[in-house]
């Protein structure tokens, strides 16, 4: 909490009284500064309570009015006179009149109150506030650590949301939602998923706008819109007090560096930048404000946007930290943090909050560390379990003598043989096919007993997977899409342990050059399609899908493609929306449009049969470049 001019005037240990400008008493005091210059504006940053004995006042009445206007225009919090030294007990009437006209506070420092007492009051207030903020951060970190032991990732996210008064989203390594606090879908979730999609995923922490779109962050970032920010050093540009001068704001000390992973900036040497205020790093005068640097050898505050150790405290105020996005301020901002070690992204943590202050970033980093440790432990334990069970499954797949039965989900099973790439050895630091499949099973089947009991084993150039038979879309086909370097897979249905060896043999023989082929479906469907002449299949497709295809061609829509996914997925809205990467309400709108164009309800079994048949008679290109066959 900031200190205001009203607080200083009400301080019982100070003899400071308000003489004019009462409407401005709630202005925030960032720094108390003594000056006797006739025009000190060039050396001010905004938010200062200017202390003077009046030596710099112009002898001309208009000059004194201009002096007050200049301080007001520079964003100063107020002007305080020691009336018993130079002014002989009276502040010029034109100064008071101009203060009243502008709503600019003019104070009287009376009695035995020295200027240093005012300066110390401001500094002590912010020092105490820093201590309270550090206490809150430490308490929140402790609560998250206890929650991690007690209830895992869900507890960590609840504690983070509570400590920051924000909302959390945990994405898996494929960019899909694992957990959310609160648990309902928010508008900004989709934008965050889009931000982590694609090959150009930025590691570390990013600050996005309140709607999840990318803002200006990292080295050389800009201050938030509406704040006057000066040009910064290595750490980017500093924010400032609205209306303040911008020259030299955010200067760094000797040896300043930028930490792009955490979003914080550090600086070493005398007068290093700290905190979120413009003008940080000044060594003259007293500093005050949350996030200021300590003296030489001190500990950097956890609440500043930049940290540093150097001689002289730094003034701090309401400006934004370097690298914050335009989405800070009233609309909030989103912190997006990568989970996992370098090159091994395990997921992402997104935190939406009103203001991504440094204390919030500290808590987000702490939560990300706890979540990453949990994910790493879970991943390594899962990999070890699958490796331990692999020899038993290999023996059963080869039809060996009955021994210890492998751990498998309840039959029937989908037995899949994944053809490995030419290079059997993965690149250093990347998982092999078995480990990659163990990781991806959770994405395909969820964190369920079926995912934990599935079987995996390498077998002479292929990776055998025994999965629960989920029907279409097949779990093995979805797993193929998540395995890097695996071009093709063949699959076969097995009714029980007695069919396992023959199913492995048939699936291995069905592996196509590219893509996925299921023996039990490919053969029957191939017979049906080969029995229908080309002219007949074209006529049937035109009769069933003609209006829909014309609508897509005319309007640039993809209703036919949406219907294929919807029917392949058994008509499940949630699953189809997830496959297409759209919101469920968007999918429902498309399906209603398709029904209107076709003039047939999708709830009619015959309509669904005819539509699926027409959509399956000829290959249909998918939006990701693959083909529905």
């Amino acid at each position: 909490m900031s200190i205001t001019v009203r607080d200083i005037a009400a301080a019982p240990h100070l003899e400071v009284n308000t003489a004019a400008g009462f409407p401005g008493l709630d202005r925030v005091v960032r720094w108390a500064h003594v000056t006797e210059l006739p025009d000190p504006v060039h050396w001010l940053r905004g938010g200062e309570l200017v202390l003077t004995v009046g030596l710099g006042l112009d002898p001309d009445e208009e000059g004194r009015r201009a002096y007050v206007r200049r301080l007001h225009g520079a964003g100063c919090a107020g002007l305080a006179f020691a009336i018993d030294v130079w002014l002989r007990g009276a502040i010029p009437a034109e100064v008071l009149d101009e203060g009243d006209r502008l709503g600019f506070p003019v104070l009287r420092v009376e009695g035995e109150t020295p200027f240093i007492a005012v300066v110390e009051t401001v500094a002590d207030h912010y020092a105490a506030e820093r201590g309270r903020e550090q206490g809150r951060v430490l308490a929140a970190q402790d609560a998250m650590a206890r929650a991690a032991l007690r209830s895992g990732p869900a507890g960590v996210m609840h504690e983070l949301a509570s400590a920051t008064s924000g909302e959390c989203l945990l994405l898996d390594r494929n960019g899909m939602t694992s957990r959310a606090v609160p648990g309902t879908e928010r508008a900004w979730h989709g934008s965050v998923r889009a931000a982590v999609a694609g090959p150009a995923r930025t590691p570390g922490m990013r600050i996005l706008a309140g709607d999840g779109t990318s803002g200006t962050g990292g080295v050389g970032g800009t201050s938030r819109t509406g704040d006057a920010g000066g040009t910064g050093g290595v750490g980017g540009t500093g924010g400032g007090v609205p209306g303040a001068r911008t020259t030299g704001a955010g200067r760094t000390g000797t040896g300043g560096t930028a930490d792009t992973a955490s979003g914080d900036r550090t600086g070493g040497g005398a007068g290093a930048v700290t905190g979120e205020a413009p003008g940080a790093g000044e060594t003259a005068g007293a500093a005050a404000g949350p996030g200021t640097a300590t003296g030489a050898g001190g500990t950097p505050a956890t609440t500043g946007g930049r940290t540093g150790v150097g001689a002289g405290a730094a003034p701090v105020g309401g400006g934004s930290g370097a690298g914050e996005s335009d989405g800070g301020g009233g609309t909030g901002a989103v912190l997006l943090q990568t989970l996992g070690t370098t090159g091994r992204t395990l997921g992402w943590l997104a935190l939406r909050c009103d203001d991504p202050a440094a204390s919030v970033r500290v808590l987000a980093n702490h939560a990300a560390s706890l979540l990453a440790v949990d994910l790493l432990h879970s991943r390594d334990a899962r990999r070890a379990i699958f490796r331990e069970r692999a020899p038993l499954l290999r023996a059963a797949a080869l039809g060996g003598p009955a021994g210890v039965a492998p751990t498998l989900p309840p039959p029937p099973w989908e037995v899949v043989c994944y053809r490995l790439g030419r290079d059997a050895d993965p690149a250093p630091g990347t998982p092999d096919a078995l480990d990659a499949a163990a990781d991806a099973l959770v994405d395909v089947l969820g964190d369920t007993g079926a995912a934990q009991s599935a079987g995996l084993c390498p077998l002479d150039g292929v990776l055998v997977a025994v999965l629960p038979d989920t029907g279409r879309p097949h779990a093995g086909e979805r797993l193929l899409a998540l395995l890097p370097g695996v071009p093709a897979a063949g699959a076969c249905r097995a009714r029980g342990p007695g069919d396992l060896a023959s199913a492995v043999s048939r699936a291995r023989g069905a592996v196509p050059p590219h893509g996925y082929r299921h023996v039990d479906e490919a053969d029957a469907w191939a017979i049906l399609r080969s029995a229908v002449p080309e002219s007949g299949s074209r006529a049937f497709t035109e009769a069933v899908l003609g209006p829909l295809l014309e609508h897509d061609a005319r309007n640039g829509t993809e209703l036919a493609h949406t219907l294929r996914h919807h029917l392949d997925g058994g008509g499940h809205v949630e699953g189809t929306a997830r496959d297409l990467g759209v919101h469920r309400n968007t999918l429902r709108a498309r399906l209603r449009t398709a029904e209107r164009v076709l003039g047939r309800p999708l709830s009619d079994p015959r309509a669904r049969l005819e539509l699926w048949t027409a959509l399956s008679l000829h290959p249909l290109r998918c939006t990701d470049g693959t083909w529905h066959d």
Side-chain angles (χ1 to χ4, degrees):
M1 182 181 296
S2 300
I3 188 171
T4 65
V5 178
R6 188 186 303 276
D7 296 329
I8 293 176
H13 65 289
L14 301 176
E15 292 185 70
V16 177
N17 299 305
T18 307
F22 288 88
L25 287 179
D26 291 322
R27 292 189 180 204
V28 172
V29 178
R30 181 181 60 84
W31 192 11
H33 181 64
V34 181
T35 179
E36 301 299 335
L37 296 175
D39 187 5
V41 169
H42 182 71
W43 287 270
L44 301 178
R45 302 291 184 227
E48 296 90 354
L49 175 62
V50 176
L51 306 171
T52 179
V53 298
L55 284 173
L57 285 180
D58 195 289
D60 179 66
E61 175 182 335
E62 180 55 33
R64 290 192 287 270
R65 289 182 179 274
Y67 176 80
V68 177
R69 289 196 297 269
R70 286 195 298 271
L71 295 181
H72 173 72
C76 293
L79 172 62
F81 288 97
I83 61 172
D84 297 330
V85 180
W86 184 262
L87 297 178
R88 302 300 181 185
I91 301 174
E94 56 273 11
V95 171
L96 299 176
D97 180 65
E98 198 68 20
D100 284 330
R101 189 181 68 83
L102 298 172
F104 181 70
V106 180
L107 308 179
R108 297 163 55 97
V109 182
E110 303 178 5
E112 300 298 324
T113 302
F115 282 166
I116 191 62
V118 179
V119 173
E120 288 174 345
T121 298
V122 177
D124 290 346
H125 172 88
Y126 285 121
E129 182 64 26
R130 288 199 306 276
R132 287 190 292 269
E133 181 65 19
Q134 287 174 334
R136 287 192 291 267
V137 170
L138 292 174
Q141 288 177 325
D142 184 58
M144 282 190 280
R146 291 197 306 270
L149 296 174
R150 183 175 59 251
S151 52
V156 173
M157 293 180 64
H158 277 285
E159 291 295 340
L160 177 62
S162 175
T164 60
S165 300
E167 300 176 352
C168 301
L169 175 67
L170 181 63
L171 303 179
D172 63 22
R173 61 194 185 93
N174 296 308
M176 303 303 292
T177 299
S178 294
R179 290 180 176 85
V181 178
T184 56
E185 178 74 12
R186 297 296 203 214
W188 61 275
H189 289 182
S191 300
V192 171
R193 284 191 285 267
V196 304
R201 294 173 171 178
T202 305
M205 178 178 283
R206 282 184 284 168
I207 302 181
L208 311 177
D211 58 359
T213 57
S214 294
T216 53
V219 178
T222 60
S223 63
R224 288 180 291 187
T225 303
D227 290 350
T231 57
V234 177
T237 61
V241 176
R245 294 175 60 87
T246 61
T247 305
R251 292 179 291 179
T252 58
T254 305
T257 61
D259 179 2
T260 58
S262 67
D264 295 344
R265 276 69 176 142
T266 61
V273 161
T274 82
E276 297 184 339
E282 298 290 335
T283 58
T292 60
T294 63
T299 302
T302 61
T303 57
R306 297 180 287 271
T307 59
V309 177
V316 177
S320 64
E324 291 187 5
S325 73
D326 292 344
T331 59
V334 176
L335 297 179
L336 180 61
Q337 173 69 52
T338 304
L339 304 181
T341 56
T342 303
R344 295 185 180 183
T345 299
L346 302 175
W348 288 267
L349 171 65
L351 169 65
R352 188 179 188 277
C353 55
D354 289 336
D355 184 15
S359 59
V360 174
R361 296 198 292 271
V362 167
L363 293 177
N365 274 323
H366 185 70
S369 299
L370 294 172
L371 293 171
V373 168
D374 182 84
L375 291 173
L376 282 170
H377 175 75
S378 301
R379 185 200 66 181
D380 292 343
R382 183 170 55 250
R383 289 179 177 182
I385 290 173
F386 278 102
R387 286 190 172 278
E388 290 175 0
R389 298 200 308 236
L392 295 176
L393 179 60
R394 178 184 174 89
L398 292 174
V404 179
T407 301
L408 294 171
W413 302 315
E414 178 192 2
V415 179
V416 191
C417 288
Y418 296 96
R419 179 164 57 83
L420 305 180
R422 295 181 180 179
D423 187 4
D425 297 325
T430 60
D432 62 14
L434 191 149
D435 287 345
D439 296 343
L441 275 175
V442 177
D443 301 327
V444 174
L445 300 174
D447 192 7
T448 60
Q452 297 169 7
S453 61
L456 297 170
C457 74
L459 183 66
D460 300 331
V462 298
L463 177 70
V464 177
V466 181
L467 310 173
D469 188 7
T470 60
R472 302 197 66 165
H474 294 293
E477 186 175 7
R478 287 184 285 150
L479 183 60
L480 174 64
L482 300 178
L483 297 180
V486 178
C492 181
R493 192 171 187 265
R495 291 184 294 272
D499 294 340
L500 187 59
S502 61
V504 170
S505 178
R506 294 180 65 199
R508 189 168 186 173
V511 177
H514 295 281
Y516 173 91
R517 178 183 296 164
H518 197 292
V519 173
D520 300 326
E521 295 178 358
D523 293 347
W525 185 241
I527 292 172
L528 176 61
R529 287 202 297 188
S530 63
V532 179
E534 178 67 18
S535 59
S537 67
R538 293 291 180 187
F540 178 78
T541 300
E542 177 63 27
V544 175
L545 295 177
L548 197 68
L549 297 175
E550 291 177 5
H551 182 278
D552 282 347
R554 184 172 60 254
N555 298 285
T557 54
E558 296 181 345
L559 297 180
H561 173 255
T562 300
L563 272 183
R564 177 63 190 263
H565 271 274
H566 184 61
L567 296 174
D568 281 350
H572 297 295
V573 172
E574 294 289 345
T576 305
R578 185 166 55 251
D579 289 343
L580 293 174
V582 300
H583 194 273
R584 57 183 177 273
N585 290 338
T586 301
L587 174 63
R588 291 190 180 102
R590 292 183 184 180
L591 296 178
R592 288 195 297 270
T593 302
E595 288 180 322
R596 177 177 55 79
V597 172
L598 292 169
R600 309 178 68 181
L602 296 179
S603 58
D604 180 10
R606 178 170 179 173
R608 294 162 72 94
L609 173 63
E610 291 180 356
L611 286 169
W612 187 88
T613 303
L615 288 165
S616 304
L617 281 174
H618 304 282
L620 179 66
R621 188 175 182 85
C622 191
T623 54
D624 61 5
T626 60
W627 290 84
H628 294 285
D629 191 4

